[in-house]
Amino acid sequence: MRMKVWIILTGWLLLVPALGYAGEADALYAKALQAARVGRVDFAFMYYNQIDRDYPYSRYREQVLFAKGEYFYEL
């Protein structure tokens, strides 16, 4: 019984921070989209670059790489 409690507690402690990181990547992606919509492409690039650097396996990986490519093309 005691072993089950430790396993559940350990699993929960490992899962909670991972869920928090996903929310941070979502928030950064939303900021990047908003900055791009209002024409602040320099700030959008900074947000995209941070997502690429800090969350390389996020679900936004392809969109971030494409947006960074568009930014470099425009330069």
Side-chain angles (χ1 to χ4, degrees):
M1 178 69 178
R2 190 171 223 185
M3 186 62 144
K4 286 183 184 179
V5 171
W6 280 109
I7 291 172
I8 292 171
L9 182 62
T10 304
W12 187 78
L13 290 175
L14 292 175
L15 178 64
V16 169
L19 295 175
Y21 291 133
E24 292 175 21
D26 292 339
L28 281 172
Y29 189 73
K31 287 180 183 180
L33 287 180
Q34 182 62 28
R37 285 187 187 120
V38 297
R40 304 292 309 262
V41 293
D42 50 345
F43 284 99
F45 175 77
M46 290 181 354
Y47 290 130
Y48 287 133
N49 199 37
Q50 186 175 358
I51 294 169
D52 189 27
R53 185 184 64 235
D54 295 343
Y55 310 104
Y57 301 108
S58 74
R59 62 182 170 175
Y60 303 114
R61 175 84 174 148
E62 290 83 17
Q63 294 93 335
V64 166
L65 292 177
F66 186 78
K68 286 175 63 175
E70 283 184 324
Y71 177 79
F72 286 123
Y73 177 77
E74 291 296 321
L75 286 179

